[in-house]
Amino acid sequence: MTASTVVLWRHGRTPFNAENRFQGQLDVPLDDVGRAQAAAAAAHLCTLPIDVVVSSDLVRALDTASALTSRTGHTLTRDPALREVDAGEWQGLVGAEIARKWPQEHAAWRRGDDVAMGGGETRIRLGERIAAAVEAHAAAVPDGGTLLVASHGAALKAGVLRLLDLPVTAGSAFAGFRNAHWAVLRRRSRGWVLEEYNAGPPGAAVGAEG
């Protein structure tokens, strides 16, 4: 029992995304643009041979995943391990506020150093958490099947790096996940390989952050 394909899908836009505000694990809902993005992406993703759908338990990811499962009839499994990074005291703030209050830590984070964001998680810890959750769900999918994971931008990027066995410093070579866009990983004999990154239909790109 193991999936051969994993689709990693970021949630649609939220008001915090539109304001460039750190969300972290705050439970911020989709805005109207985000709901339209999720619907546009779901219209494409529902054509794929998906076997299992799992999601972060935060409402923005759940509502994004529900745009798909309402079309396909899949059971939607919630997993708190797929939540966004715990950004500690940075949550709810915009970048300028963080830079003013924590100038050294913010500068280090911007450089790609593995700092604990706002006293919360580091990128390494985040990647380990997300990769472990993805692997656990993939192991419950029938052989050769497809797992779809609805989660968050920083979480999915860190998870991709970990699943590909890349160091966190390689993250600077990857763009951020855009709202309602996804990556596709395929399992090969030596591990996962990246087939698609930041894929999405035209409708999902309207107002996308990332």
Side-chain angles (χ1 to χ4, degrees), residues 25-163:
Q25 296 187 357
L26 298 179
D27 207 7
V28 185
L30 300 177
D31 61 15
D32 289 342
V33 170
R35 285 186 283 274
Q37 291 170 339
H44 176 85
L45 291 169
C46 72
T47 67
L48 303 181
I50 295 165
D51 295 284
V52 175
V53 180
V54 299
S55 174
S56 157
D57 65 340
L58 297 179
V59 67
R60 58 192 183 272
L62 282 173
D63 286 353
T64 298
S66 294
L68 174 65
T69 57
S70 65
R71 289 172 173 266
T72 64
H74 285 91
T75 298
L76 177 55
T77 300
R78 307 178 184 202
D79 186 354
L82 293 168
R83 287 182 179 184
E84 181 60 296
V85 62
D86 176 1
E89 294 181 280
W90 292 6
Q91 295 178 165
L93 304 179
V94 296
E97 292 173 311
I98 296 168
R100 184 172 65 253
K101 294 181 179 180
W102 298 274
Q104 294 181 343
E105 293 88 344
H106 184 257
W109 174 77
R110 293 276 295 174
R111 289 195 304 269
D113 295 354
D114 194 36
V115 299
M117 291 172 247
E121 282 181 298
T122 66
R123 288 183 172 102
I124 288 177
R125 291 288 296 276
L126 173 63
E128 290 172 346
R129 170 166 64 82
I130 298 300
V134 170
E135 291 283 19
H137 288 291
V141 175
D143 283 342
T146 297
L147 168 69
L148 184 137
V149 176
S151 186
H152 309 268
L156 291 177
K157 183 175 177 180
V160 165
L161 294 174
R162 180 67 177 177
L163 290 164

Side-chain angles (χ1 to χ4, degrees), residues 123-124 157-158 160-162 164-174:
R123 288 183 172 102
I124 288 177
K157 183 175 177 180
V160 165
L161 294 174
R162 180 67 177 177
L164 296 178
D165 199 25
L166 295 173
V168 293
T169 53
S172 61
F174 288 76

